[in-house]
Amino acid sequence: AAKEEGGPSFRFFTRGMNEAAQQRLSIELSLRKALERGEIFVHYQPKVDLSCGEITGFEALARWHHPELGLIPPDTFIPLAEKNGLIVRIGEWVLRAACAQARTWIDEGFSDLCMAINLSSHQFTSGNLTSMVKEVLDETELPPSCLEFEITEGILMERTEKTMRILSELRDMGVRISIDDFGTGYSSLGYLKRFPVNTVKIDRSFVREIDSPHEDAAIIKAIIAVARNLNLQVVAEGVESHRQTEFLLAHGCNEAQGFLFGKPVHPDEASLMLRAGRWRDAPARALARGR
Ligand code: C2E
Ligand code: MG
Ligand code: MG
Ligand code: MG
């Protein structure tokens, strides 16, 4: 367009940037309306017990269906929501939806199920997270042990008084706490001992190493060993291959999550997974080969 107008090329460039900025702004405006328009929904990804192949629970993962742009990935809209504070409302909405879903599955007889929900640091600093969680647990009559919050190392590293107090309150209620993307932050393993944490989720980047030609699995072995010594549950994320499964099993990892066992799916499809036990195939084969 700049060429047709005969303008200098930087004008085109500037306009391009304006368009990008404009699109960002327009996405942000539509994100504000997304909740009330019912465009935000939740997909569920199974976690599997490596020793028996059973589904232990699901992670709730937020999705946004934009009316014109289609599906916008959480890696795009969650950071945006964190920047403008909307994450507090979105986070509460996801929590309510996931707890209602957990209630449904528990009523169907899957009573040991654990529902994992991601929390952003903003949810610790604004509003009253503890009482909101309590309220949702009361409303859904969900045992607190069925609920697990996934937080990043960054939240622990901030070590603000309020965050630490809330984590302790949640733990005292019986809610489980898990460290997500473990190994990508700056925390040391010994650090874990001082926090009220139940589970460590090893980041996908370390799991990927198991299959790489220059396999460097030293870190993942160390994480599993130390976490187990601290009596923490160890979950591997991003498991895509049988080889990774066998390795994790051999080194004492408790649970796994990844495309091999199931992608994040609509609740109806997750229900089918639970009822049909379709998930048994993959880990069972890997287990048999690992023996
Ligand atoms: P996360 O909590 O680490 O979630 C795991 C991400 O890895 C998910 O991406 C999942 O789809 C993907 N994943 C799982 N297994 C595999 C695998 O085998 N291979 C590969 N390549 N990827 C796999 P997703 O759903 O796009 O979510 C991205 C991130 O967005 C999440 O990372 C989480 O940090 C954030 N997020 C999603 N929903 C929420 C939410 O409700 N609240 C907050 N605060 N953050 C959320
Ligand atoms: Mg997570
Ligand atoms: Mg993760
Ligand atoms: Mg991750």
Side-chain angles (χ1 to χ4, degrees):
K3 204 174 167 193
E4 281 159 13
E5 287 161 22
S9 59
F10 70 81
R11 271 193 56 196
F12 178 75
F13 187 61
T14 303
R15 177 182 287 186
M17 295 216 329
N18 282 342
E19 272 166 16
Q22 234 162 39
Q23 200 192 27
R24 244 197 335 270
L25 194 70
S26 128
I27 289 182
E28 204 175 318
L29 285 174
S30 34
L31 183 57
R32 288 186 189 279
K33 303 210 175 94
L35 266 182
E36 49 198 78
R37 286 179 179 164
E39 295 164 9
I40 305 280
F41 58 102
V42 185
H43 273 176
Y44 298 91
Q45 185 179 29
K47 293 186 193 183
V48 168
D49 183 332
L50 282 172
S51 66
C52 62
E54 268 179 54
I55 291 181
T56 57
F58 291 89
E59 176 175 4
L61 293 156
R63 298 287 180 263
W64 178 22
H65 193 275
H66 188 286
E68 284 110 40
L69 301 171
L71 210 62
I72 298 183
D75 287 335
T76 302
F77 77 83
I78 294 287
L80 209 66
E82 286 174 340
K83 225 169 60 193
N84 65 19
L86 278 174
I87 189 65
V88 177
R89 276 174 54 211
I90 293 175
E92 177 172 346
W93 192 88
V94 169
L95 175 71
R96 288 182 186 277
C99 285
Q101 185 59 60
R103 179 76 259 164
T104 301
W105 283 328
I106 287 172
D107 287 345
E108 285 174 20
F110 303 102
S111 53
D112 296 334
L113 213 73
C114 183
M115 182 60 81
I117 289 148
N118 295 283
L119 285 184
S120 293
S121 66
H122 305 65
Q123 291 173 271
F124 286 88
T125 48
S126 58
N128 190 335
L129 184 61
T130 308
S131 60
M132 193 266 281
V133 171
K134 226 179 232 146
E135 186 189 305
V136 175
L137 286 175
D138 282 349
E139 279 172 19
T140 51
E141 292 178 46
L142 214 59
S145 58
C146 288
L147 188 59
E148 182 166 80
F149 286 122
E150 298 192 0
I151 61 171
T152 59
E153 288 167 274
I155 293 180
L156 284 189
M157 295 308 289
E158 285 168 19
R159 296 184 70 178
T160 64
E161 221 172 280
K162 190 171 180 193
T163 301
M164 290 305 138
R165 195 195 67 226
I166 294 173
L167 282 177
S168 300
E169 285 169 357
L170 292 173
R171 268 300 297 272
D172 290 346
M173 278 165 61
V175 171
R176 302 174 56 82
I177 307 288
S178 163
I179 309 298
D180 207 350
D181 306 333
F182 190 81
T184 58
Y186 300 97
S187 60
S188 72
L189 285 160
Y191 212 75
L192 289 174
K193 216 174 169 172
R194 283 181 265 152
F195 297 105
V197 164
N198 305 86
T199 307
V200 163
K201 270 187 100 175
I202 303 171
D203 191 65
R204 197 161 77 221
S205 56
F206 301 111
V207 175
R208 212 184 286 129
E209 271 299 317
I210 299 168
D211 272 348
S212 84
H214 317 284
E215 176 196 312
D216 178 13
I219 296 177
I220 198 167
K221 282 186 210 166
I223 294 176
I224 297 171
V226 176
R228 296 213 49 164
N229 269 319
L230 294 170
N231 279 321
L232 298 171
Q233 185 83 1
V234 192
V235 182
E237 67 173 22
V239 177
E240 296 181 353
S241 73
H242 289 290
R243 186 163 168 215
Q244 289 167 345
T245 307
E246 284 166 24
F247 179 98
L248 292 163
L249 194 60
H251 289 90
C253 179
N254 308 100
E255 286 178 41
Q257 184 182 8
F259 293 171
L260 180 68
F261 307 110
K263 292 190 170 179
V265 289
H266 185 278
D268 289 348
E269 206 173 318
S271 292
L272 289 178
M273 271 185 199
L274 268 177
R275 288 188 216 125
R278 201 176 61 193
W279 42 272
R280 273 179 203 278
D281 286 5
R285 259 207 316 274
L287 281 165
R289 289 202 321 185
R291 277 193 194 109

